[in-house]
Amino acid sequence: MGVSEVLGGRVPLLLFVLFARAGDWASEASHRVFPEYQDHPAARVGGRHRTGFHFQPPMHWINGPMYYKGVYHLFYQYNPKGAVWGNIVWAHSVSTDLVNWTPLEPAIFPSEPFDVNGCWSGSATILPGDKPVILYTGVDSLNRQVQNIAFPKNLSDPFLREWVKPGYNPVIAPDAGVNASAFRDPTTAWMTGDGHWHVAVGSKRGQRGTVVLYRSRDFIDWVKAKHPLHSAAGTGMWECPDFYPVALRRKNGLDTSASAGSVKHVLKVSLDVTRYDYYTVGKYYPAAARYVPDSGSVDDRTGLRYDYGNFYASKTFFDPAKNRRILWGWSNESDSRSSDVAKGWAGVQTIPRSVWLDDGGEQLVQWPVEELETLRGKEVRAHNVVLRKGRYFEINGIRTSQTDVEMTFEVRGLEKAERLDAGWTDAESLCRWNGPDVRGGVGPFGLWVLASGDLRERTAVFFRVFRTPHKHVVLMCHDPTRSTTAAGVWKPSFGGLLNVDIKKDGKISLRTLIDASVVESFGGGGRTCITSRVYPVHAVGDNAHLLAFNNGEATVKVSQLRAWQMGSPAMN
Ligand SMILES: *[C@@H]1O[C@H](CO)[C@@H](O)[C@H](O)[C@H]1NC(C)=O
Ligand SMILES: *[C@@H]1O[C@H](CO)[C@@H](O)[C@H](O)[C@H]1NC(C)=O
Ligand SMILES: *[C@H]1O[C@@H](CO)[C@H](O)[C@@H](O)[C@@H]1NC(C)=O
C-alpha cells in the first residue's frame, strides 16, 4: 500500500478567499491576431509544464476537429509558425489507438482564391463506398467565410496524406441572408431517409446564435433551408456546432445519419461570447428540418456543458470499429501569451472521451477511452480510509505529476449539509465563494493535486453537498487559486452541479487525470467533467504531491482509491 495515512494533518483554514479576475483575460476572441508573435518560430519546445499523454503537436498552437477512416485521423487548427493564433492550416496526425500519434504534413492549407485568407474548422464525413470528404471554412479573397470541400488524392494511401480541393469550390457561399463574417465550422453531414445530405453551419443574426441548414444530393450542390436547424436569442455567435444522434439506454454510439429506433439528438455549440461548449438533448424532425431541445434542456449559457472548465471547440465522431462516439475538446493555456511564446507551444486536446446518453435521457455521460489505460504503469491503492473533519492523507509511491486516479468517497451525515436557496444554480459562483478551505457541513472533500511539499501550491478537485427543501445538491469544483506561486496566470474557479442521488447512493466517484499542467476530472462516473490548466513552480516532476482531504463537518470515507503512474506515448 502506497498511502501514508497522515491522519494528523491539519488543513490550513482560510475563511475569506478573494478572487480578482484580470480584465485582459476575459476578452480573448478565437480569431484575435497577435501580429508580433504570429510568425515566431520556437527556439526550443518544452518546459516543466509540457504534458506527457495529452495530444499535442510538436510545437505551437492547436485547436481542432477530427475524424476517422480505418486509422484514427486527427486534423487540428495549427499555426505552423508560432505559438499564437494565426497562419492557420489543417495539421494532420494519425493513430491506431488514440494514444500514440504520428504527425503528417498539413492536409489543407491556404492556396486558392476560395481559401487564400484562411483554412478554418470543419468536419469530415464518410460518403457511401467509404469515401471520406472534408467540409471546411475557407476565408476567400473577399474575406468572406465560405464552405469548401476537399477529397483525398489517393484512397489507397492508408494515411490519406494528400487532399485535393476541387476548382468548383466554394460549395456553399453566404447569400444575402447570412453574415459573411460569421459563417463557419460546418458539421459532419448526415443523410435522411429521402436521400439528402444535410449540414449545419455556425452563424448569428444580430445577437441570435444560429445554425444555418443546407441540403444536397451529391455533396456539391447545396440548397439552404428556409429556416435554421435551431437558434437561440442572446447567445451570440455559434462556433463549431456538432449535431448527432444518441441511443436511449445504451452506451454504444451511433452513426451520424442513424435515426431509426430509439434515438435522441444532441446539438452542441461553442459560444464565442463565453468561450465554453454547451449542449442540449432533444428531438430532430427531419421532415420539418428542425431540431427542438427537450423541455428542460436549456439552450443558452445557463445550459449543460460538456466540461465546466477550460474546454472549447470540441467535436465528436462515430468510431465504427468500437461502436462508440468519441469527443475531443481543446484546452487552451491559462498562462500569458509571452509564456506561450517562451514555451514554444500552446494548447492541448483533452483525452478523447466516449459519450453516451445517461439513463434518465437528460444529459450525457463521458469517460476517457479505454485505450488510455494502456499507459497505466505502477499502481498504488487504498481502502476504507476515514477522513474526519480537517484531515488529509497523501498518496505516495508513484510519480503524481503524471497520474490517473480513480476513487470513491462514501458520504454520511447528510443532515449536516448546508442549506442552499432553491433558486441558486450558478455552480461556478458557489465554487468561487466556497473554496476548498472554507469549512462546510458535508464537504468540501476531494483531492489536492500538483501540490508542493509544503502545500503552498495545490490545486483542489472537490465536492460539497448542499440541501434545498426538496433534495440534496452535489457541487463539483476545481479551485486553482493556489495552484502556483507564479504571477500572471489566469486562475478561474470552475464548477458544475453533479446529477447523482446522494441520498440513495451514499457515495460519489471521482476520476482525475493529471498531466503536468492539465487536470481533467470526471465526477459521478463522468456525469460532470472539469478541465483546468495550472502552472506550478514547485510542484513539478518528482516534487508533485497528491493528497485526499476533507474540510467538512461530516466524516467521509475513501472506500476505494487506485492511482497509476502514467507512461508517455509517442506524441508526434
Ligand atoms: C497511392 O497510394 C498507394 C499506397 O501508398 C501507392 O502504392 C500508390 O503508388 C499511390 N498512387 C499514386 C497515384 O500516388
Ligand atoms: C457580421 O459579423 C461580424 C463579425 O462578428 C460583425 O462585426 C458584424 O457586425 C455583423 N454584421 C451584421 C450586419 O450583423
Ligand atoms: C483561454 O485562455 C483564457 C486566458 O487567456 C481566456 O480567458 C479564455 O477565454 C480562453 N479560452 C478560449 C476557449 O479561447
Side-chain angles (χ1 to χ4, degrees), residues 300-365:
D300 62 23
R301 65 172 79 177
T302 66
L304 293 171
R305 279 163 55 181
Y306 279 151
D307 189 301
Y308 291 85
N310 195 337
F311 184 99
Y312 194 69
S314 65
K315 278 275 152 105
T316 64
F317 75 108
F318 173 60
D319 172 10
K322 290 200 173 177
N323 255 311
R324 56 188 171 174
R325 183 162 286 273
I326 295 178
L327 167 69
W328 286 89
W330 164 59
S331 192
N332 73 342
E333 300 301 308
S334 298
D335 61 354
S336 67
R337 215 92 48 202
S338 51
S339 317
D340 293 347
V341 173
K343 305 201 295 266
W345 59 277
V348 298
Q349 296 288 337
T350 54
I351 295 302
R353 306 169 179 178
S354 293
V355 284
W356 65 91
L357 192 63
D358 199 4
D359 285 342
E362 289 168 4
Q363 68 158 95
L364 297 172
V365 185

Side-chain angles (χ1 to χ4, degrees), residues 460-501:
V461 177
F462 66 99
F463 301 96
R464 196 183 272 269
V465 182
F466 294 94
R467 66 195 158 104
T468 67
H470 306 295
K471 59 171 183 181
H472 286 88
V473 171
V474 180
L475 180 70
M476 175 174 165
C477 309
H478 268 197
D479 185 310
T481 50
R482 297 165 73 100
S483 58
T484 181
T485 51
V489 175
W490 186 53
K491 296 186 284 192
S493 287
F494 288 127
L497 296 177
L498 180 58
N499 188 11
V500 293
D501 188 345

Side-chain angles (χ1 to χ4, degrees), residues 186-210:
T187 60
T188 293
W190 67 95
M191 187 180 264
T192 47
D194 62 358
H196 277 110
W197 286 104
H198 301 262
V199 76
V201 183
S203 187
K204 64 174 177 182
R205 297 191 73 147
Q207 278 316 300
R208 175 174 278 274
T210 171

Side-chain angles (χ1 to χ4, degrees), residues 61-254:
W61 171 288
I62 64 172
N63 91 23
M66 84 150 288
Y67 100 114
Y68 161 82
K69 208 276 175 190
V71 283
Y72 297 100
H73 295 250
L74 179 51
F75 300 103
Y76 52 98
Q77 298 272 286
Y78 176 62
N79 179 355
K81 297 182 180 169
V84 300
W85 192 85
N87 313 304
I88 292 299
V89 302
W90 275 54
H92 186 188
S93 289
V94 289
S95 170
T96 52
D97 60 6
L98 293 166
V99 171
N100 294 279
W101 291 91
T102 307
L104 302 173
E105 287 300 304
I108 300 175
F109 41 87
S111 64
E112 305 296 325
F114 51 76
D115 67 7
V116 68
N117 286 314
C119 292
W120 292 0
S121 285
S123 303
T125 302
I126 312 289
L127 299 177
D130 240 6
K131 294 200 183 80
V133 55
I134 284 175
L135 253 175
Y136 70 99
T137 300
V139 184
D140 73 5
S141 50
L142 303 172
N143 267 318
R144 298 182 311 165
Q145 295 170 15
V146 301
Q147 317 313 321
N148 302 319
I149 54 177
F151 295 101
K153 188 170 182 182
N154 179 1
L155 277 174
S156 312
D157 172 8
F159 291 153
L160 303 175
R161 270 172 262 242
E162 288 184 80
W163 290 73
V164 195
K165 304 181 274 197
Y168 54 72
N169 274 314
V171 292
I172 302 176
D175 65 17
V178 172
N179 183 339
S181 301
F183 183 53
R184 53 182 179 265
D185 312 337
T187 60
T188 293
W190 67 95
M191 187 180 264
T192 47
D194 62 358
H196 277 110
W197 286 104
H198 301 262
V199 76
V201 183
S203 187
K204 64 174 177 182
R205 297 191 73 147
Q207 278 316 300
R208 175 174 278 274
T210 171
V211 276
V212 190
L213 187 64
Y214 293 83
R215 67 168 190 277
S216 172
R217 281 203 175 272
D218 59 6
F219 229 86
I220 296 168
D221 287 317
W222 292 89
V223 178
K224 192 171 110 179
K226 285 196 194 70
H227 51 74
L229 178 66
H230 187 57
S231 70
T235 52
M237 178 68 191
W238 285 3
E239 297 195 295
C240 298
D242 198 14
F243 185 61
Y244 55 89
V246 282
L248 290 176
R249 289 175 295 277
R250 277 181 307 158
K251 284 188 174 185
N252 60 291
L254 296 171

